Amino acid sequence: MSDKSIQQYETIAAAIRYIRCHAKNQPELAEVAAAVNLSEHHLQRLFSAWAGISPKRFLQYLTKEHALVALKKSANTLDAALAAGLSGGSRLHDLMISCEAMTPGEIKSGGEGVTLYYGSAPTPFGLALFGWTDRGVCYLAFCDDDLQSRLEELFNQWPNATTQEDKQQAMLLTGQIFPTTPQPGKLHLLLRGTNFQMKVWEALLQTTQGQFISYSQLAKTAGSPKAQRAIGSAVGANNIGFLIPCHRVIRESGVSGNYRWGAERKQAIHAWESAAPSPR
């Protein structure tokens, strides 16, 4: 990934912002291109290079109708998964994700005796800040001119840890998490949360790329069908963006809804995942 990726994402985010504000009018390519100061040809090329699909198809992924169809399909998939019992593994492209929880004692100690590594790097969705220990990735946040605030958030979670910046490893993580071509591999996550939050995050890890899940579906999958409000709080408490895919949670109506790192970014990830190569 490079700074060019950030520039491309910023252009796409601006286009999504324009489309969301003018959705009722279904703007043509020329109108969207003018709004982001690009020619139609340049916008067409940029979208195709970024997501592998045309702008017209990209717009389809942003519509409520597409989301409703995906939700219905997701419901059938989840019902089948629940009937068979959820598997313990999950994959992001070809990347196998495993995770473990921090113990209450480790949380209470504030990371004493632990080295917390961190670094920022460009991704397809703008700059991201990564945090990790020898046991796995513990933090991934997208940044919009608020890198310092995100650093403070990370350090406050590990107040007694020794911190060490490692931009090179952050770049390697970016390539592993957001590959141009899916590559087999493994990534370990170190989770910090309550038992209930863990169940919600683990349920999210059972979803697949391009899939949507409603709050009620997620509550059912997490084993707490009547706890939708608490489910929403657990989704909002996720500190490992993208890898724990809270961006896949949308409202029953098909509306994308809020996202900790921005509504435009959430919809950009939806389109990017839908167009990405499916796991084998």
Side-chain angles (χ1 to χ4, degrees), residues 185-205:
K186 293 182 179 181
L187 195 65
H188 196 77
L189 307 184
L190 182 59
L191 308 183
R192 173 193 176 117
T194 65
N195 289 338
F196 179 78
Q197 288 171 336
M198 297 292 177
K199 289 182 179 179
V200 173
W201 299 337
E202 288 172 356
L204 282 171
L205 284 169

Side-chain angles (χ1 to χ4, degrees), residues 37-136:
N37 298 314
L38 293 178
S39 67
E40 292 179 56
H41 178 68
H42 192 179
L43 181 60
Q44 180 90 13
R45 286 179 54 196
L46 179 61
F47 267 99
S48 298
W50 180 80
I53 54 175
S54 68
K56 183 175 180 179
R57 190 177 174 205
F58 181 89
L59 296 184
Q60 293 174 350
Y61 288 126
L62 305 184
T63 67
K64 182 177 177 180
E65 287 73 19
H66 170 79
L68 286 171
V69 171
L71 268 182
K72 185 176 181 180
K73 182 178 179 181
S74 175
N76 296 333
T77 302
L78 287 169
D79 286 343
L82 286 169
L86 292 176
S87 63
S90 176
R91 64 171 65 205
L92 174 74
H93 296 303
D94 284 351
L95 189 63
M96 300 300 296
I97 303 293
S98 62
C99 57
E100 68 173 298
M102 293 177 63
T103 66
E106 289 173 330
I107 294 174
K108 186 177 180 180
S109 73
E112 185 176 358
V114 173
T115 299
L116 173 66
Y117 302 93
Y118 68 95
S120 60
T123 78
F125 310 106
L127 189 70
L129 175 65
F130 300 84
W132 67 95
T133 74
D134 289 335
R135 289 165 58 191

Side-chain angles (χ1 to χ4, degrees), residues 20 62-75 204 211-219 228 231-232 235 245-260 262-263 266-267 270:
R20 291 180 72 215
L62 305 184
T63 67
K64 182 177 177 180
E65 287 73 19
H66 170 79
L68 286 171
V69 171
L71 268 182
K72 185 176 181 180
K73 182 178 179 181
S74 175
L204 282 171
Q211 180 181 358
F212 292 146
I213 183 171
S214 68
Y215 287 96
S216 62
Q217 289 171 344
L218 182 57
Q228 291 187 43
I231 290 289
V235 169
C246 56
H247 56 269
R248 295 176 185 159
V249 184
I250 65 174
R251 297 174 186 169
E252 302 279 353
S253 63
V255 173
S256 177
N258 296 326
Y259 185 53
R260 182 173 179 177
K266 182 177 185 178
Q267 291 192 313
H270 287 172

Side-chain angles (χ1 to χ4, degrees), residues 111-160:
E112 185 176 358
V114 173
T115 299
L116 173 66
Y117 302 93
Y118 68 95
S120 60
T123 78
F125 310 106
L127 189 70
L129 175 65
F130 300 84
W132 67 95
T133 74
D134 289 335
R135 289 165 58 191
V137 175
C138 60
Y139 188 88
L140 195 169
F142 296 106
C143 305
D144 292 304
D145 299 322
D146 58 354
L147 177 58
Q148 189 58 42
S149 295
R150 299 286 73 79
L151 274 170
E152 291 175 4
E153 179 181 66
L154 172 59
F155 293 163
N156 286 338
Q157 293 174 9
W158 300 79
N160 298 322

